[in-house]
Amino acid sequence: MRPALPAPLAGLPWRVLLMVAAIGGFGLVVLFSAANGSLRPWALPQGVRFVVFLTGAVVLSRIPLDWVRRAAFPAYGALLIALLLVEMLGAVRGGSQRWLDLGFIRLQPSELMKLAIVLACARFYELLPAAETRRFQAIWPAAVLIGLPAVLVMLQPDLGTALMICAGGGTVMFLAGVPLRLFIGGAAGVAVAAPLAFMFLLHDYQRNRVLIFMDPESDPLGTGYHISQSKIAIGSGGLFGKGFLNGTQSHLDYLPEGHTDFVFATMAEEWGLAGGVFVIAAFLLVIRWGVNVGVKAETRFAKLTAAGLSATIFYYVAINLMMVMGLAPVVGIPLPLVSFGGSAQMTVLISLGLLMAIDRDNRRSARW
């Protein structure tokens, strides 16, 4: 009996792909509503990009894992150069210099660096003998790999992306076997340096975001407006929401950035707790699958890469949800596949493609 699908397609993790498609489709519905029932200016271009990037993820899943391993350091180096070019030639939008204008596309290298840092750190620890992992020479090269792009991204300025680069690289370091006491010592050092960083490194608007996070009601019509309106929108949705196209906070423009960073608040107002649980559960299932891919992997590089990519998706979701609920300062991290914009969507779907490549390698090894 002939298979219903060709072998390359039959081997894809269709349950995960359908779950990702469900998240992306639900995001299009939310963006359609945020534009007052119009495909433009958000839902249509977002849908086109989603189809293109998802197709790219499927193509990426066919790439041999050895190619990914060999490309880890070159990709990191190319993106580090791109971050330097952003400082010299980058396009400025909204007061931030984060993009390279290539004519046909505006590329944000810092987004791709979230993936490159995971690949580079995983490759470094694969090359390092396991017996050396708990020594100093296993720490400082990885710290340099993480620190260089993090500093360049902070200069843009983009605190949220810099934190995610550090978190992704730190996750790989921890899973590679770097002693916990060093992370505790590093956390203590950060705690000591935090007041100095707050005073001298952060920009005024970033300091205001931290202060407003501590006391949102101190300036409800100014800096604290985003968080206050987000909480109102989420709370007013109740259990099942106000109904599709019936959100008042977003449609009456009370909720700023309701199609990007605060899209979860827009969704929760119309779809309520039920919609929020669906989005969170769907992401958790995708992340759980990614972790399982890493558990089943046979090589150190594949294990660390799968775990790091899964953690990166988790950080996207967790930071955004904490941000819109007032549990963390506003740092400009979108909700991937739901928020309008191609950078986060591209990053997450490339992560999915790499995870599928690792999963394909696992199944091939199991057959042998």
Side-chain angles (χ1 to χ4, degrees), residues 289 291-299 303 358-359 362-363 365:
W289 168 79
V291 171
N292 286 334
V293 168
V295 169
K296 296 176 182 177
E298 295 188 358
T299 66
K303 286 180 178 292
I358 297 172
D359 181 56
N362 292 347
R363 286 184 280 105
S365 299

Side-chain angles (χ1 to χ4, degrees), residues 165-355:
I165 289 173
C166 293
T171 298
V172 175
M173 290 180 67
F174 177 75
L175 295 175
V178 173
L180 181 61
R181 66 177 184 275
L182 297 176
F183 286 93
I184 296 175
V190 169
V192 171
L196 295 176
F198 180 82
M199 294 301 299
F200 300 109
L201 293 182
L202 297 185
H203 292 253
D204 289 340
Y205 78 93
Q206 292 172 330
R207 283 195 291 270
N208 288 335
R209 286 177 174 178
V210 175
L211 293 173
I212 287 299
F213 163 67
M214 303 299 293
D215 184 14
E217 304 305 323
S218 62
D219 188 13
L221 298 180
T223 312
Y225 186 77
H226 287 69
I227 296 177
S228 297
Q229 294 300 320
S230 178
K231 289 180 177 178
I232 292 172
I234 293 173
S236 65
L239 187 59
F240 296 107
K242 296 178 178 178
F244 182 52
L245 297 175
N246 291 326
T248 55
Q249 296 297 114
S250 55
H251 291 175
L252 297 178
D253 293 330
Y254 285 105
L255 179 65
E257 306 299 332
H259 63 292
T260 53
D261 293 350
F262 288 86
V263 72
F264 185 83
T266 300
M267 181 279 302
E269 184 182 18
E270 295 190 353
W271 297 89
L273 178 64
V277 168
F278 166 76
V279 171
I280 294 172
F283 272 116
L284 288 178
L285 289 173
V286 174
I287 295 168
R288 178 176 175 269
W289 168 79
V291 171
N292 286 334
V293 168
V295 169
K296 296 176 182 177
E298 295 188 358
T299 66
R300 187 173 175 82
F301 175 78
K303 286 180 178 292
L304 294 176
T305 298
L309 294 176
S310 301
T312 298
I313 299 173
F314 171 78
Y315 293 139
Y316 261 117
V317 178
I319 293 174
N320 178 269
L321 294 183
M322 292 173 66
M323 184 180 76
V324 301
M325 295 178 187
L327 302 176
V330 177
V331 291
I333 297 295
L335 184 61
L337 308 181
V338 182
S339 294
F340 176 75
S343 296
Q345 187 184 63
M346 176 180 64
T347 301
V348 169
L349 290 177
I350 290 177
S351 298
L352 178 68
L354 292 173
L355 286 169

